[in-house]
Amino acid sequence: MTAKQFAAKMGVHYRTALNWLEAGLIPGAERKTSLIGEYWEVPESALKMERPKTGPKPRKAGTK
């Protein structure tokens, strides 16, 4: 499936799905190239994955 289809089925924004894909968090996803550009190919099995944690990264102790 495409990144847009994956985003819709996971119930997340398309940009969120792209962020996950670019970070390598979607198992089995592959970036492909066609005559009109690049696209992501996401396997159906990726729909069973646990959603990555979102939000700001925790700060180190002692920093402001």
Side-chain angles (χ1 to χ4, degrees):
M1 79 185 96
T2 66
K4 280 188 177 184
Q5 292 168 331
F6 174 72
K9 290 181 181 186
M10 289 294 285
V12 298
H13 192 275
Y14 174 62
R15 184 69 239 176
T16 299
L18 285 180
N19 288 341
W20 293 350
L21 288 161
E22 290 167 359
L25 300 176
I26 311 300
E30 295 181 23
R31 181 175 257 161
K32 303 280 186 160
T33 303
S34 72
L35 295 175
I36 59 171
E38 292 186 341
Y39 66 97
W40 285 95
E41 188 174 281
V42 183
E44 291 286 330
S45 61
L47 295 173
K48 297 176 186 172
M49 67 173 260
E50 183 177 325
R51 288 179 172 206
K53 303 276 189 241
T54 59
K57 294 180 181 176
R59 295 182 185 182
K60 292 182 181 178
T63 60
K64 291 186 178 186

